Structure formats: structure tokens, C-alpha cells
Amino acid sequence: MITKWIDCLKMDPAHPERWLRDAADCLRDGGLVAFPTETVYGLGGNAYMDTAVSEIYRVKGRPQDNPLIVHLSRPEDLDQVAMDIPEEAEKLFAVFSPGPLTLVLRRNSRIPKRVSAGLDTVAVRIPDHPIASALIRLSGVPVVAPSANLSGKPSPTRAWHVRDDMDGKIPYILEGGPCRFGVESTVLDLNGEQISILRPGAITQDMLEKVLKRHVYLPGERKQTSAEEPPRAPGMKYRHYAPKARVKILEESDKARLEEELREALSQEGEIAFYLSDRTAELLRRMGGNRAYGLITFGEGAAPASAGLFDAFRRFDELGVERIYVEALSDRGEGLAYMNRLRKAAADKDRKPN
Ligand code: TXA
Ligand code: MG
């Protein structure tokens, strides 16, 4: 298959060009279209077509028991994909849509079971990106879209990441520049008595609690009510986000001990690379000596660190680096999403991706 690459960077989404219409038609008719969102690139298909949904699982090499997110262009369409929509969902979407928040609701029967891997729930989100909104609107259907990477690889946050994984396998890739957040949306479960975050993202526990005026559980904080109950976030058990290189976390925040960790890293054999804040990179430069290493810096704080993490993984893999040392941040607030992805990337390097 020849993949058409559409440069949307200069396109005015209010007056979409023919190419974007062609891509939207293709999507509606069952083809797959990779498109930018504010979190990561998505691999989109028509949510009403069982064949398109199967094709997504096949192309990604995704396990069948890991459900997909349905994307809408506006909250008014929620009842086309979900039912018995709780008041909390409306409150949250009034504040955070469009944006990086996915709500798990009861699935409407128009949405094939396969989308939700057989669950009677459905995950829904309204992305905050003009190209994503235009594509969904023009296609005229809800768009099911996992991250546009091969299963097990880091999520794509640049169009070239998508090309590396999907070229020749899907009809369209829409180029929309780097993704603003760089980590996937917050997934929030609104079924059941407790409201719980299944996957942390840019919309934090604090932000959600302010709107809902009640406790929102963090992943792991929630008690499983019965041993028989299926996992609430089925996808979270799989290995994710991992580059080919081994990922090592620099855990220390105290300067002297961090310096010790950097010294230890520099003493290792083989090709190594670092993903660091500007401040820590300065420390490293002063002690680097003759050791050659790769270095990408992210400035300061969780937002820029998240935005650049997956891109750094892919760049270092291109260079053939063996070990990537990544600076830990506080896992409070928006740091939680960053640390969650980082810990998954560092875990179980030898376990096979499922
Ligand atoms: O930011 C994002 O959410 C991106 C962009 C493309 O929108 N999409 C994304 O999709 O990250 P994916 O397929 O890589 O991750 C979907 C996550 C998985 O962890 C999955 O288990 C969870 O959402 N999920 C989907 N449907 C669910 C459901 N019905 N119940 C519980 N979790 C669900
Ligand atoms: Mg994914």
C-alpha cells in the first residue's frame, strides 16, 4: 500500500483542502488515517465499522483484549456512542472538552463490541486539535483511535514517528507538527461508586476534584471489589512506551546524590544517552570529562519533560544507543503522567511485548 502523506501544517482547518476531505472520506469508508491530536498521534478508523476496528488491531499488532478510545468532534454527539450518561460526564466535558480527558461510560449498542474488547463500557474523548476536529467532523462518524504506534513502541508525538511505524500499512498520514502534551490523555472511569483515574495524563486528580467536588481515586488507590472483576484498564497491564534501549531512571533529587548517579552512569560501558532538565544537564557537562554521550534537554518541569520524552526515546533509538538515563521528577500533579510513562518504559525490559 502507498501511504499518502498530507502536510496539514499550512492548512486552514476551517476551509479544509481537498486532501483532507479525501482522507475523511477514506476513513468513513473503512480506511485508516493517522492524525495529530494535542496528546499523541492517533490511528483513526470508523467506529461504526467492525472491519475498520479489526484492521486497527491488526495493523498495530495490538492484543484483542485492550479496548480503544472513540473520538468525537463535539460533546453534543456523546449520545451516539454512550448511554445513561451521568451528570459528572457533562460537568467534566463542559470544562475539559476539547482536551486530554477520556471518560469511560456505558457503551451504546451502535458501537461494535470489538471497540471495547467485549466490555459493556466505552472510552470517549474530544481531542483539542484543529486537524483532528476537522477530520472527525468531515468524516461524519465517531472515530476510534489508539495511539498510532506499533504495539509496545513509544506513542508517536511527531509525524515522522508515525511514518516509521505505519508507512506502507495505512492509506493516509496527516502531518500536524509536534504534539503539545506528548503523553496520552487522562482516562477516567465514571462507572461504579468510586470515580477513578485509570491512566494519568495532563488533566490531573486536583483538576478533576475541583470540578466534581469529590474524591477522585488515583491508579492503584482504588480497591478491587471482587477478585472476579475484570481489570478496569485492561491495556495498562501490557508493556508500553519502551524504546529498544534500556531505560534507567535517575531517581535522586538531592544535588550531591544526583551527581553520584551521573558519575555512575558515565562509568558504564557502551553507548549511553541522557534526557535531562537544563539544570542537571549543566551539572553533567561540568563532570563529563572525555566520555561521549547523547544528550537531550527539556528545560524545567513536568510539562516540557512529558512533551519531549517519547521523541527522545525514538531519537536515541535511531542513534543505536544502549542505555538511556532519564531524570525523575516529582510524581505530584502533572508529574504523575510523566513518571508513569517513564516507569513503564524502564520496567521489564526483557519481557516480550504482548
Ligand atoms: O491521548 C490519547 O488518549 C490517545 C489519542 C490518540 O487520543 N489515544 C490513546 O489510545 O492513547 P490507546 O489505545 O493507546 O490507549 C487507550 C487506553 C488504554 O489504556 C485502554 O485500556 C483504555 O484507554 N481504555 C479504552 N477503552 C476502555 C474501557 N472501555 N474501559 C477501560 N479502559 C479503556
Ligand atoms: Mg497506546
Side-chain angles (χ1 to χ4, degrees), residues 28-346:
R28 190 196 48 239
D29 296 340
L32 304 190
V33 177
F35 61 96
T37 82
E38 79 282 29
T39 57
V40 302
Y41 276 74
L43 178 62
N46 181 340
Y48 290 147
M49 278 176 76
D50 200 46
T51 49
V53 179
S54 305
E55 180 70 357
I56 287 180
Y57 281 99
R58 191 188 67 76
V59 166
K60 266 189 71 102
R62 183 181 179 103
Q64 298 277 347
D65 64 349
N66 189 2
L68 305 172
I69 297 174
V70 178
H71 296 65
L72 301 173
S73 64
R74 43 179 212 157
E76 291 86 329
D77 297 336
L78 206 52
D79 58 3
Q80 296 180 17
V81 300
M83 55 185 202
D84 304 338
I85 297 159
E87 192 192 335
E88 286 89 351
E90 277 155 24
K91 274 194 198 154
L92 290 169
F93 273 156
V95 178
F96 299 117
S97 86
L101 177 66
T102 296
L103 300 180
V104 178
L105 301 167
R106 284 198 61 200
R107 180 167 54 85
N108 180 318
S109 58
R110 283 190 75 187
I111 298 293
K113 260 195 172 151
R114 199 188 299 275
V115 167
S116 307
L119 299 172
D120 53 14
T121 54
V122 64
V124 190
R125 117 171 172 88
I126 300 164
D128 185 15
H129 193 291
I131 302 302
S133 311
L135 177 73
I136 301 166
R137 185 168 41 79
L138 290 170
S139 75
V141 292
V143 173
V144 71
S147 49
N149 53 292
L150 293 174
S151 199
K153 296 240 273 169
S155 293
T157 55
R158 311 282 188 270
W160 69 265
H161 301 165
V162 180
R163 188 191 51 210
D164 277 1
D165 285 11
M166 296 294 158
D167 195 30
K169 300 186 180 120
I170 59 173
Y172 284 98
I173 296 175
L174 311 187
E175 153 78 272
C179 299
R180 187 154 39 103
F181 291 106
V183 288
E184 305 84 348
S185 61
T186 303
V187 179
L188 187 72
D189 189 359
L190 289 180
N191 293 283
E193 276 150 44
Q194 301 170 335
I195 294 185
S196 4
I197 294 176
L198 304 179
R199 179 177 72 183
I203 306 293
T204 63
Q205 179 191 37
D206 255 17
M207 294 160 80
L208 295 165
E209 287 182 341
K210 276 207 182 91
V211 174
L212 294 174
K213 301 197 171 49
R214 58 180 281 195
H215 184 64
V216 170
Y217 287 75
L218 289 175
E221 184 189 352
R222 185 179 171 282
K223 283 204 191 74
Q224 198 88 346
T225 43
S226 133
E228 301 299 304
E229 200 175 327
R232 288 284 177 152
M236 300 307 280
K237 71 175 188 274
Y238 294 107
R239 180 165 166 241
H240 271 92
Y241 319 117
K244 287 184 222 127
R246 195 174 278 269
V247 175
K248 296 281 180 189
I249 305 179
L250 298 164
E251 299 276 2
E252 301 292 348
S253 52
D254 170 78
K255 193 177 161 208
R257 282 190 293 185
L258 179 59
E259 207 170 322
E260 204 40 54
E261 270 193 302
L262 291 171
R263 204 179 310 284
E264 164 73 22
L266 289 169
S267 73
Q268 297 296 314
E269 307 257 313
E271 304 260 330
I272 59 167
F274 294 90
Y275 185 63
L276 304 175
S277 66
D278 287 357
R279 203 178 316 157
T280 304
E282 192 44 45
L283 192 62
L284 178 72
R285 276 196 201 97
R286 277 192 254 124
M287 55 190 287
N290 295 324
R291 181 72 160 94
Y293 53 78
L295 172 64
I296 294 176
T297 58
F298 56 74
E300 303 294 339
S306 298
L309 182 68
F310 293 150
D311 184 53
F313 284 167
R314 290 202 181 233
R315 282 175 195 270
F316 288 140
D317 269 352
E318 291 244 303
L319 294 173
V321 161
E322 288 160 48
R323 276 205 181 81
I324 307 173
Y325 292 88
V326 183
E327 185 167 343
L329 298 176
S330 153
D331 61 4
R332 292 259 185 95
E334 55 187 342
L336 182 63
Y338 172 77
M339 288 309 297
N340 169 274
R341 303 321 188 267
L342 182 51
R343 295 217 185 279
K344 279 177 191 284

